[in-house]
Amino acid sequence: MEFNCSICGAIVVLLVCTSLVSGGDIVHQDSVAPSRPGCNNNFVLVKIPIWVDGIEVTEFVGVGARFGPTLESKEKRANQTRLAFADPPDCCSKPRNTLTGEAILVHRGNCSFTTKTNVAEDAGASAILIINNQTELFKMVCEPDEPDLDIGIPAVMLPQHAGTSLIQFLGNSSSVSVQLYSPKRPTVDVAEVFLWLMAVATILCASYWSAWRAREAAIEQDKLLKDGSNECNGTEVSRSGVVLEISIISAVLFVVVASCFLIMLYKLMSSWFIEVLVVLFSIGGVEGLQTCLVALLSCFRWFERFGESFIKIPFLGPVSYLTLAISPFCIVFAVLWVVYRRISFAWIGQDILGIALIITVLQIVQVPNLKVGTVLLSCALLYDLFWVFLSKPLFHKSVMIVVARGDKSGEDGIPMLLKIPRMFDPWGGYSIIGFGDIILPGLLVAFSLRYDWLCNKKLREGYFLWAMFAYGLGLLTTYVALNLMDGHGQPALLYIVPFTLGTFLTLGKQRGDLKHLWTRGEPDRPCPHVRLQPE
């Protein structure tokens, strides 16, 4: 079934959605907060298991301070310490209760973080847990004029809900103990390898499907020209299926539309808005999965007759019997994902729908030549850089990262992402890649294979092999940068665009094909031209 108007909105959402690779932040660098001897720690997340009367009941996550000693990274080496509540609660003056190596729980406010920590250390505490007055975690830094930074106990900020629970445990006259440690994230997680393979394989499949359709259309055009006339009359034979070619104007408008949509996501990010995105994604996913399955099954002789037999349906037009048979399965699959999307293995359904939709979009949206592809990817690169890095001074947060993670929405993130759970990461979480990092460079890669097939170029003499290699290398470089930045989200197009576009332009210049690639996007074709043969 061809794409219909009911999912146009979903396609637009996907094309202007997030373009980001992320693994989750563990170590946070901070160039704003004062850094000097005694106050130059990285901000690290801290695991805090809680024992009540000798039984482990829960675990909280806090953030370590800029000052104090670094925490143990191994759980088995971290000491289990009894917890006491400060009196007075703010710990701005010497506690009235006697401490003998306990970890002390205090409220934020009334004095600086370092003052609280120094008071707790002088009173005999082995660690200090500071309860934030908000749900989010806060980075504890040193004041510029603070003299005493020789602090010998660790300080950890706790979110408000964690502090409330601990106070309740202590109020029940229970014996409460805590353990503080900050496990390190592995240098490379297997999830990133699988995500790289998924992205590369998706573009590979989409490119071959797109090139096959283009070659079939060219062969059909040759037949019509030979049967009709030996003279060129300038008549173009329409391609089978629906193809939307991007123009230079639409490529430039991409930045404007995508930016407006991203701001709307950022401002309206909430649980109800995520539900709207889930519905749009599901509609597009159903259409994408249906299109891919129909195309796949039509290759088999048993299903060929059903794929070529049509029935006319009101508002939809001619629909094949095979499409009618496949549609209920696709709808049920998407509905089940929507209902159970919060369970641990729901990412599998999201990735299946996402990959099917990406492949289908790459059949419908095409770049006609290298000039349009260059403008599109250049604009996308600027868009990526601005909303990941340069938006932070304006919005106080990286807009792209906030949207990708679905902050303040109660969800794990927006659905327009491929994601895989991190398998050997003590912090858990997901490695993610935005649809834009696959669709946008995928348009150029698919164009390269269409050009190779229309020119009857062999694999090593063409452009597809090198474009595919450049994309894979660019994405791999992104993951290297991601790990060097300790999991902080990276704009993948910053690395992918120079690799893919640079490779294409360089090869085209060296081989003398740049003129055709830049303007026509296909070779000179005599009228009638020779039938194209598969390799």
Side-chain angles (χ1 to χ4, degrees):
M1 183 187 298
E2 296 178 354
F3 257 53
N4 49 59
C5 295
S6 64
I7 64 165
C8 287
I11 297 176
V12 172
V13 168
L14 295 170
L15 288 177
V16 301
C17 201
T18 52
S19 180
L20 180 79
V21 166
S22 176
D25 301 344
I26 294 298
V27 179
H28 305 266
Q29 307 290 343
D30 193 333
S31 58
V32 178
S35 177
R36 59 184 189 275
C39 190
N40 55 4
N41 294 342
N42 290 325
F43 295 105
V44 296
L45 294 180
V46 181
K47 284 182 178 286
I48 311 170
I50 308 298
W51 283 266
V52 177
D53 295 329
I55 301 174
E56 186 173 357
V57 294
T58 187
E59 181 181 272
F60 298 118
V61 175
V63 62
R66 197 70 185 265
F67 49 85
T70 56
L71 290 165
E72 180 59 56
S73 61
K74 302 290 186 180
E75 181 180 9
K76 61 183 179 181
R77 296 178 185 172
N79 295 325
Q80 186 175 329
T81 309
R82 190 181 177 89
L83 183 67
F85 190 53
D87 182 20
D90 58 12
C91 199
C92 291
S93 58
K94 184 178 179 180
R96 300 186 186 96
N97 46 336
T98 304
L99 300 176
T100 56
E102 292 90 349
I104 189 169
L105 183 67
V106 308
H107 281 293
R108 178 184 175 184
N110 299 329
C111 61
S112 67
F113 298 121
T114 52
T115 299
K116 294 176 186 290
T117 308
N118 279 319
V119 170
E121 184 180 7
D122 293 341
S126 60
I128 182 171
L129 304 179
I130 302 176
I131 305 171
N132 196 16
N133 52 16
Q134 299 177 8
T135 304
E136 296 83 8
L137 293 171
F138 185 84
K139 293 181 178 180
M140 296 186 291
V141 299
C142 310
E143 298 296 332
D145 56 349
E146 286 183 309
D148 188 6
L149 295 177
D150 187 17
I151 297 172
I153 64 172
V156 177
M157 172 71 73
L158 286 176
Q160 191 176 42
H161 70 90
T164 303
S165 298
L166 289 176
I167 292 173
Q168 184 178 359
F169 291 147
L170 291 168
N172 294 332
S173 300
S174 302
S175 173
V176 181
S177 300
V178 298
Q179 194 177 21
L180 306 178
Y181 67 103
S182 180
K184 294 181 180 179
R185 170 162 278 166
T187 304
V188 178
D189 193 88
V190 179
E192 294 171 359
V193 177
F194 283 113
L195 204 58
W196 183 89
L197 290 172
M198 284 170 55
V200 171
T202 299
I203 290 183
L204 190 68
C205 293
S207 298
Y208 271 94
W209 190 6
S210 177
W212 178 81
R213 290 183 61 187
R215 184 166 61 181
E216 290 296 308
I219 292 175
E220 175 108 2
Q221 183 175 343
D222 287 347
K223 288 181 179 179
L224 293 175
L225 287 172
K226 287 179 180 179
D227 294 341
S229 173
N230 289 328
E231 297 180 359
C232 287
N233 54 14
T235 303
E236 292 288 337
V237 179
S238 61
R239 296 181 182 180
S240 59
V242 177
V243 174
L244 175 64
E245 288 191 345
I246 301 175
S247 65
I248 292 181
I249 295 177
S250 59
V252 174
L253 286 177
F254 162 78
V255 176
V256 179
V257 175
S259 297
C260 293
F261 187 79
L262 197 65
I263 293 175
M264 182 178 69
L265 283 174
Y266 178 74
K267 293 296 184 181
L268 298 179
M269 185 60 65
S270 60
S271 58
W272 70 266
F273 195 70
I274 291 290
E275 297 290 340
V276 173
L277 294 180
V278 166
V279 171
L280 290 175
F281 172 74
S282 300
I283 295 173
V286 167
E287 188 70 25
L289 185 60
Q290 173 186 282
T291 302
C292 291
L293 288 177
V294 168
L296 182 63
L297 293 175
S298 297
C299 298
F300 296 95
R301 186 174 55 186
W302 307 288
F303 299 99
E304 187 176 354
R305 182 167 60 88
F306 297 101
E308 295 175 351
S309 302
F310 292 85
I311 183 174
K312 197 167 186 179
I313 298 179
F315 305 108
L316 296 179
V319 179
S320 69
Y321 287 101
L322 183 58
T323 299
L324 288 178
I326 291 296
S327 295
F329 167 78
C330 298
I331 294 172
V332 170
F333 186 91
V335 170
L336 288 175
W337 174 78
V338 171
V339 174
Y340 296 105
R341 70 181 186 278
R342 292 183 178 90
I343 62 178
S344 59
F345 53 86
W347 61 272
I348 299 174
Q350 178 173 326
D351 287 352
I352 292 174
L353 292 173
I355 290 172
L357 183 52
I358 291 171
I359 292 175
T360 305
V361 168
L362 287 175
Q363 307 314 304
I364 296 169
V365 183
Q366 296 180 0
V367 291
N369 52 52
L370 186 56
K371 178 167 65 174
V372 174
T374 301
V375 173
L376 177 64
L377 289 182
S378 299
C379 291
L381 175 59
L382 295 175
Y383 162 83
D384 225 12
L385 287 174
F386 180 84
W387 291 111
V388 174
F389 293 135
L390 303 181
S391 62
K392 194 169 183 179
L394 297 176
F395 296 88
H396 308 294
K397 291 183 179 180
S398 173
V399 173
M400 185 80 78
I401 293 177
V402 170
V403 170
R405 293 179 178 172
D407 291 1
K408 301 180 182 180
S409 67
E411 297 273 353
D412 288 334
I414 63 174
M416 287 75 174
L417 302 164
L418 297 185
K419 64 180 187 179
I420 296 180
R422 298 180 66 84
M423 301 176 187
F424 300 104
D425 193 332
W427 293 98
Y430 293 89
S431 291
I432 64 174
I433 182 171
F435 282 5
D437 299 325
I438 303 175
I439 292 177
L440 294 172
L443 292 171
L444 187 65
V445 176
F447 163 75
S448 69
L449 187 59
R450 290 196 303 273
Y451 182 85
D452 287 353
W453 280 20
L454 291 174
C455 290
N456 286 325
K457 288 182 177 290
K458 295 182 179 179
L459 190 62
R460 294 184 61 181
E461 297 173 354
Y463 294 90
F464 171 70
L465 176 64
W466 306 109
M468 196 74 240
F469 177 78
Y471 174 79
L473 187 59
L475 187 57
L476 180 63
T477 305
T478 304
Y479 283 115
V480 172
L482 180 71
N483 287 294
L484 291 176
M485 295 295 290
D486 300 298
H488 186 75
Q490 292 293 300
L493 295 182
L494 173 62
Y495 309 95
I496 294 174
V497 170
F499 275 97
T500 54
L501 200 55
T503 299
F504 218 135
L505 291 171
T506 302
L507 284 177
K509 181 68 175 177
Q510 290 178 347
R511 295 173 175 177
D513 295 332
L514 191 58
K515 180 179 179 181
H516 282 131
L517 287 168
W518 190 258
T519 57
R520 289 178 54 86
E522 60 182 42
D524 289 327
R525 301 169 68 184
C527 180
H529 58 275
V530 180
R531 176 189 293 271
L532 298 171
Q533 297 292 338
E535 296 180 13

